[in-house]
Structure formats: C-alpha cells, structure tokens
Amino acid sequence: MHKSGSSSSLGPGGLDLTQAFFRPILSAAPPSPTKRHTKISVVGAGNVGMAIAQTILTQDLADELVLVDAKADKLLGEMLDLQHAAAFLPRTKIMADVDYAVTAGSDLCIVTAGARQMPGETRLNLLHRNVALYRSIVPPLVKYSPETILLIVSNPVDILTYVAWRLSGFPSNRVIGSGTNLDSSRFRFLIADHLDVNAQDVQAYIVGEHGDSSVALWSSISVGGVPILSFLDKQEIAYEKETLENIHKEVVDGAYEVIRLKGYTSWAIGYSVANLARTLLRDQRRIHPVSVIARGFYGIEDGDVFLSLPAQLGRSGVLGVANVHMNDEETHRLKKSAATISELTSQLEI
C-alpha cells in the first residue's frame, strides 16, 4: 500500500530535485539531530478516527500523522483526501497502511477501532469480541512504539482502557481513556447556556463511567471562580435538585441524541481527543477528566478499575489525580460507578 505523503524524487529515474531547487548557504551546520519530531498514529479510519485526524491536522499537533485500518481501499482514499488538502494545512507528513510497522516511533497512539454491537447481542459478548480485536491492535503498537502513550477512544472506553493496559504491559500512567472529557465539555456547555456565560469560564467535571452511571460533581462547580451551589445557598436563592439532575441527564443523553439525528458522533469527540493530544504532547499539565486506574482514590480500593477522574496530564502521560472536593453522595455514586465497571471487567479473560 502507498504509505508516504510526499516525495522529492520527481525527476527522471527518481532524481532528487531538492538539490536543484535549493543551494545550501555558506558555513551551514547540518540539521540538529535533537530536533523534536512529533508522530501521532490513529488506529481506525471510521467517522471518529477521521474526525480526530482532521482536527489534529488543522491544529498543527504533529509533524507526522499515521492512519491504520483493516480496510485498505478506504484507508488509501482517506489518506489521499487529506493529502490533497496540503496547501490549506500546516505541513504534516501523512502516511497510511494496514501494516502496523508504519506506526513505528509514535509518540501517541490513538485507538478508535472497535466492534459494533449486533442486534440482540449482549454487552458482555460485545466486550469479548472487542478484547479479541484489541489482541490484534495493542501488541503491534507496543512492539513498534515501546515508549508511546496509548489513548483509547473506543467504547466502552473504561473497560477497553483496562484491556489495553493489560495487553500492553505499560505502566498505568501511559494508558489513558478519553473517558468523560467530552461529557464534561457538554456539561460545561449546558451550565454556561443556563447562566448565559462563556463555557470556558465554567469549571465542572463529570467523573466515573463514560456512560449511564457517570457522576456530575455539582459540589465543586464554579463559574468565574465562584462556587455555584454555595453561592446560591449564601444568597438564599432556591433551586430544585431535579433541575440539576435534568442537566446531568442531558449530558448522558447527548451522544444518543446526536446518533439518533445524524447516525453517529464525530466532531465533538474529534476536538476532545485533539485537546487531550495537545496537553499530552506539549506537556501542558492541564487537568482533564479521563479514564485512569482508580484504585486508591476516593475510597476505591477493590480491583484495577479504570474510570474517569480529574487527572493532570503531561508528556509522560498521567502525572497525578487532582484532589477535587466531592460530597458524600457524589463519593457514593462514584464507588457505585466503579462497581458497575468492575463487574464487567471481572468476567473478561485477557
């Protein structure tokens, strides 16, 4: 399969024309061998994978972008389509192949591939099929990029992040799930919409499972540095708990609504994952609610459960988990969310 995105060998017999176009300046040193070269590989060229790839390109996050998929023709078509936009994008080498060797030396490997649930299929059977799929994905990524960070996007993301961790043999800080980073973005948008402020001024987290048992941390929400619920209490402004629950329900149902209307989700998760890639590869040390190993945090002590917690991310992956305030009810719900995930992971053979 055609791999490379560009070539300077355009002359007769593959003559390298760069020597004809450009003459070196006097007393020039050779290129520095220490120049940082950032390489990102995306596994899965479906709607989500391509939205992530497109966002990475437009945000100039990589010097080299690699696409891997089992469908060779679609993969080649997607690669060519992106390459043809080169004049409108930052300079990035785009490569694609069905062979994982093309991913060698990746700084970040993003996995979006996953089996789709068949009509009438149980969730557990779907998980078994995804474990089988991950057996063919994770080991070759590790083989060709032993120092990479694995960023898992496939659903159910918390369980598959655990699967990827087990299959990779990596330290837990280098295996991360996209988790509730997008859920928290939806949450911030809805709160900002209710208060008529910019979502960037809202600090709010959804934690736990990326799914129905997720937990909204209302007790720690702030807008412009002002804690919302304590402010309402001090001002004796009444609010209904049902209103808060409805906002959380909108967050949980958000993806389902998009899927109902357009058939799939893509753009929001594309921006969310690119946001994580920027923080990781540029060592920005920002806090994101992502799926990490949760044992030892907030009273979760049993098993190696992965779920979303507010984690500080940087060039080495997960740097730590923030000690965000949770009230008793939120802590109880988080433990319940962990139990839901643990019940499923305990039934997997990895």
Side-chain angles (χ1 to χ4, degrees):
M1 181 177 193
H2 182 61
K3 294 182 181 180
S4 181
S6 64
S7 174
S8 59
S9 302
L10 300 177
L15 177 66
D16 189 346
L17 294 183
T18 56
Q19 300 301 317
F21 275 131
F22 302 104
R23 294 173 57 193
I25 62 173
L26 295 175
S27 304
S32 170
T34 60
K35 181 181 181 296
R36 186 69 194 165
H37 179 87
T38 303
K39 181 174 181 178
I40 300 176
S41 291
V42 179
V43 180
N47 295 316
V48 171
M50 294 314 300
I52 292 170
Q54 189 267 351
T55 311
I56 287 171
L57 285 173
T58 56
Q59 294 190 6
D60 197 14
L61 298 182
D63 300 295
E64 188 173 346
L65 177 67
V66 171
L67 306 176
V68 178
D69 197 277
K71 299 177 181 178
D73 287 347
K74 174 175 171 52
L75 189 59
L76 178 59
E78 295 287 10
M79 181 191 74
L80 292 172
D81 208 8
L82 290 177
Q83 288 176 352
H84 297 166
F88 316 116
L89 294 169
R91 186 174 185 267
T92 303
K93 185 177 183 180
I94 303 170
M95 303 173 71
D97 209 311
V98 295
D99 187 341
Y100 283 83
V102 75
T103 67
S106 293
D107 298 283
L108 177 66
C109 291
I110 302 169
V111 183
T112 70
R116 291 189 178 183
Q117 192 164 12
M118 307 296 289
E121 183 178 29
T122 65
R123 190 181 184 190
L124 183 59
N125 190 66
L126 174 63
L127 279 174
H128 283 305
R129 289 202 295 123
N130 271 311
V131 170
L133 179 63
Y134 265 49
R135 288 187 194 279
S136 67
I137 293 174
V138 175
L141 290 177
V142 172
K143 174 185 175 182
Y144 291 111
S145 302
E147 301 301 321
T148 194
I149 295 171
L150 292 177
L151 178 53
I152 309 303
V153 183
S154 320
N155 280 316
V157 68
D158 303 295
I159 297 174
L160 291 181
T161 304
Y162 166 78
V163 170
W165 174 60
R166 287 287 303 277
L167 290 173
S168 69
F170 278 1
S172 58
N173 62 296
R174 289 202 282 127
V175 184
I176 306 165
S178 56
T180 56
N181 195 54
L182 176 53
D183 307 62
S184 298
S185 174
R186 292 186 178 116
F187 193 33
R188 293 168 66 189
F189 160 73
L190 290 169
I191 294 169
D193 196 46
H194 274 74
L195 299 177
D196 195 23
V197 298
N198 192 308
Q200 293 185 359
D201 291 323
V202 178
Q203 185 172 46
Y205 296 119
I206 299 287
V207 297
E209 179 196 18
H210 171 59
D212 296 341
S213 71
S214 64
V215 182
L217 299 186
W218 286 102
S219 66
S220 62
I221 290 176
S222 66
V223 177
V226 179
I228 289 297
L229 295 192
S230 60
F231 172 79
L232 294 177
D233 289 337
K234 288 179 181 178
Q235 298 296 319
E236 298 183 353
I237 300 173
Y239 63 90
E240 295 183 0
K241 190 173 181 180
E242 184 180 355
T243 302
L244 307 186
E245 294 293 341
N246 286 338
I247 292 176
H248 181 212
K249 187 175 185 301
E250 280 190 68
V251 172
V252 174
D253 293 343
Y256 300 128
E257 179 69 0
V258 174
I259 292 169
R260 184 185 70 81
L261 292 169
K262 63 177 275 190
Y264 56 89
T265 61
S266 58
W267 296 119
I269 188 64
Y271 281 104
S272 174
V273 173
N275 179 246
L276 295 175
R278 178 185 295 276
T279 295
L280 289 164
L281 297 178
R282 296 188 178 173
D283 198 31
Q284 293 193 336
R285 297 173 176 256
R286 293 183 58 195
I287 297 171
H288 295 268
V290 290
S291 192
V292 299
I293 193 165
R295 186 168 42 152
F297 296 104
Y298 302 103
I300 300 170
E301 301 296 343
D302 299 329
D304 294 323
V305 175
F306 276 70
L307 49 70
S308 285
L309 295 173
Q312 186 187 41
L313 305 181
R315 192 61 188 80
S316 59
V318 179
L319 305 178
V321 172
N323 188 22
V324 175
H325 170 74
M326 295 187 196
N327 60 31
D328 291 342
E329 181 182 357
E330 291 164 349
T331 302
H332 173 73
R333 289 188 177 188
L334 182 63
K335 290 180 179 178
K336 189 175 179 181
S337 185
T340 299
I341 299 169
S342 181
E343 184 180 353
L344 283 168
T345 54
S346 65
Q347 300 176 64
L348 298 177
E349 295 180 5
I350 303 172

